[in-house]
Amino acid sequence: MRAPQSVPRPGLDRRRLLGALTGLPLVGGGLAGCGPEEESRVDDGPLELSVFWWGGARRAEATEKALRLYSQQHPRVRFRVTWQGLTGYYDRLATQATGGNVPDLFQIEDTVLTEYAQRGIVLDLSRYVTDNRLDLRDLPPNLARYGQVEGRTVAVPAGQTNAALVYNRDLLRRLGLAEPRTGMSWKEYARWAGQITRVSGNRVAGTMDASGDYRALWLWLRGQGSELYQGRQLGFSSAELLEWFEFWEVARHDRATPSAALVELADTGELDRQLVVTGHAAASFAWSHQLPDLQRLTHDELGLTALPGTPAAQWPRASMYWAGFRGTRQPDLVADVINFLTTNVAAGRILGTERGLNASVPVRRYVTDGVTDRVEKRMIALDNALGDLMGPAPAPPPEGHAQVRTLLVAAAESIRAKRSGARAATSRFMAQASSALAA
């Protein structure tokens, strides 16, 4: 199996899962049966939990080792694990739901968190948090809050990450140009990128075109006092989105970005297509925890810094979450395993930084103090540098977020390919996105 290569796009897969679970009786498959208000069965026999996540071999090895440690400390408990790459992950989860075999414990990300909570797919963990059986007191408050929907804890961050700029340090040294820095404005960044294109003789573009990247747009909006969402509605105006698209039009005019065809390939989110590793651009936009995987794809040394704009636009992001299925026969055990993976120092050391920084701050300190890999140290250094500079966490994205992301990419690509102007693409996006959120 290969390492995950793309950003989750669970549109069709999400619908399949929701269709499979809608009206599905909570019985069958040996996993569903008890409602969320029922306690775990208490007997002296063996207990088995099924666990499902996406990732590559490194993540699988670490996760399985951590689960074996739990079993050593709780001999009655055994785990049945399944993992795969990200592509098709939600589709497989939907197939399992159709067969009445939803995993007890599974990995999700914020694109689907709100929807799964509102549809009653995930286990409400609030009671375990209230009595500290699931102890989140050592998580950064904003990070813990990012696992809440309508005041209920429905998932726990499996790691912390940040939207980041990954850049080619060796290329910049060869060109004799400065590295980007945290806190530079978006206009400064565009000028820096244009300079790279000129100095390289147009052989390398300065930056990936992020006009269709929701992460970059969200931070740009927060830097201006707006949000991507306000409840179930868009949190910004047509004028703000038009300004965003026009900013990137100017960058393209100044040749700071590569061709539309190359950008469209990178828009898939697959790591091996990111322009910073293919050699077509000096910088790409990514998650900070993806730096080690990106570094393995190129011989040039990569650097990491925050996205342009004020660091206060950032917030502690969950790279992904652990969530339980609402119909598990063992809700107490699910909560205890999540607590173990989150707060146990030995488990934290095993899991390392593969999913980003450990969610628990004390565990994080133990883990990061022992890191020797230079690339992982760069990731840790950025997250530490942002630290107290970050702002408050917004609510997780609402239902419809996956479609909004797709619509943003389509709008940006239509502008780059000159199939429509920025104003027309903006109007179309605002109408379609508002409809998607209202559905």
Side-chain angles (χ1 to χ4, degrees):
M1 299 184 188
R2 64 184 180 88
Q5 295 293 310
S6 60
V7 174
R9 296 192 180 192
L12 176 60
D13 307 329
R14 171 186 61 82
R15 290 192 293 274
R16 283 195 60 203
L17 177 61
L18 295 174
L21 287 174
T22 299
L24 179 70
L26 298 184
V27 294
L31 296 177
C34 297
E37 299 305 318
E38 297 184 46
E39 294 295 325
S40 300
R41 294 163 62 182
V42 286
D43 54 40
D44 295 327
L47 300 174
E48 181 181 78
L49 284 189
S50 56
V51 188
F52 185 36
W53 69 88
W54 75 80
R58 291 162 59 94
R59 182 175 298 171
E61 181 182 1
T63 307
E64 291 182 36
K65 189 175 180 180
L67 293 174
R68 284 196 298 271
L69 178 61
Y70 185 93
S71 291
Q72 290 170 13
Q73 298 180 9
H74 304 82
R76 292 175 56 208
V77 180
R78 292 292 181 267
F79 296 97
R80 177 158 48 88
V81 303
T82 311
W83 62 277
Q84 65 171 68
L86 183 52
T87 302
Y89 174 81
Y90 288 95
D91 197 46
R92 186 168 182 177
L93 193 57
T95 299
Q96 292 170 324
T98 302
N101 197 33
V102 180
D104 297 284
L105 177 63
F106 53 93
Q107 187 176 286
I108 58 173
E109 41 78 59
D110 65 5
T111 298
V112 299
L113 179 66
T114 297
E115 189 162 9
Y116 283 17
Q118 292 176 339
R119 304 257 184 155
I121 296 170
V122 292
L123 178 67
D124 187 348
L125 299 166
S126 301
R127 55 183 172 144
Y128 302 105
V129 175
T130 299
D131 63 15
N132 294 319
R133 282 181 289 171
L134 179 51
D135 191 352
L136 305 186
R137 290 174 293 180
D138 286 329
L139 272 65
N142 280 324
L143 183 62
R145 194 173 302 122
Y146 205 56
Q148 295 177 356
V149 174
E150 297 174 346
R152 298 177 295 127
T153 297
V154 294
V156 175
Q160 179 181 321
T161 193
N162 292 101
L165 188 71
V166 179
Y167 60 92
N168 189 323
R169 301 184 80 181
D170 282 346
L171 172 66
L172 294 174
R173 290 170 185 145
R174 291 193 293 268
L175 297 177
L177 296 176
E179 297 184 11
R181 55 179 174 77
T182 295
M184 67 192 309
S185 71
W186 283 95
K187 288 184 178 179
E188 286 176 314
Y189 176 69
R191 287 195 295 269
W192 171 84
Q195 185 182 22
I196 291 171
T197 307
R198 290 190 297 274
V199 173
S200 71
N202 295 318
R203 293 189 301 274
V204 180
T207 178
M208 166 66 178
D209 184 328
S211 53
D213 190 323
Y214 86 98
R215 297 168 299 191
L217 172 60
W218 201 341
L219 295 187
W220 184 80
L221 288 168
R222 281 172 63 91
Q224 301 186 114
S226 297
E227 284 286 357
L228 191 63
Y229 300 109
Q230 289 290 347
R232 288 290 304 275
Q233 298 179 332
L234 295 174
F236 56 93
S237 66
S238 295
E240 289 173 300
L241 181 61
L242 179 61
E243 184 181 352
W244 171 252
F245 284 148
E246 289 179 339
F247 168 82
W248 287 103
E249 282 194 307
V250 172
R252 286 191 290 275
H253 181 268
D254 292 341
R255 298 187 177 180
T257 65
S259 69
L262 286 172
V263 173
E264 191 165 335
L265 284 174
D267 271 342
T268 64
E270 294 182 18
L271 296 189
D272 58 1
R273 291 186 175 185
Q274 296 312 298
L275 304 184
V276 73
V277 298
T278 63
H280 293 102
S284 289
F285 296 77
W287 296 113
S288 59
H289 74 279
Q290 293 176 321
L291 179 64
D293 283 334
L294 288 166
Q295 183 63 80
R296 283 189 282 271
L297 294 169
T298 178
H299 294 298
D300 281 350
E301 182 184 8
L302 300 180
L304 191 71
T305 192
L307 261 62
T310 172
Q314 297 258 16
W315 70 95
R317 297 286 292 264
S319 57
M320 56 205 73
Y321 302 91
W322 287 116
F325 174 47
R326 61 163 179 161
T328 177
R329 290 184 183 276
Q330 303 293 343
D332 291 356
L333 182 56
V334 167
D336 193 61
V337 172
I338 296 176
N339 187 67
F340 175 80
L341 295 173
T342 305
T343 66
N344 185 276
V345 172
R349 285 175 172 158
I350 292 170
L351 295 170
T353 61
E354 219 288 326
R355 287 182 172 89
L357 294 183
N358 301 80
S360 166
V361 174
V363 175
R364 182 186 305 179
R365 292 195 188 106
Y366 279 107
V367 174
T368 56
D369 285 348
V371 168
T372 58
D373 182 83
R374 290 188 304 168
V375 179
E376 290 185 41
K377 283 186 174 183
R378 289 182 204 129
M379 178 194 75
I380 294 166
L382 173 63
D383 290 328
N384 287 341
L386 287 173
D388 296 335
L389 301 177
M390 291 188 285
E399 182 177 347
H401 173 60
Q403 190 172 351
V404 171
R405 288 171 56 177
T406 301
L407 290 169
L408 181 64
V409 171
E413 289 180 351
S414 72
I415 297 170
R416 288 194 295 260
K418 302 187 184 305
R419 294 192 298 270
S420 64
R423 289 186 181 277
T426 296
S427 297
R428 184 167 56 251
F429 170 86
M430 296 297 290
Q432 292 176 338
S434 296
S435 178
L437 293 171

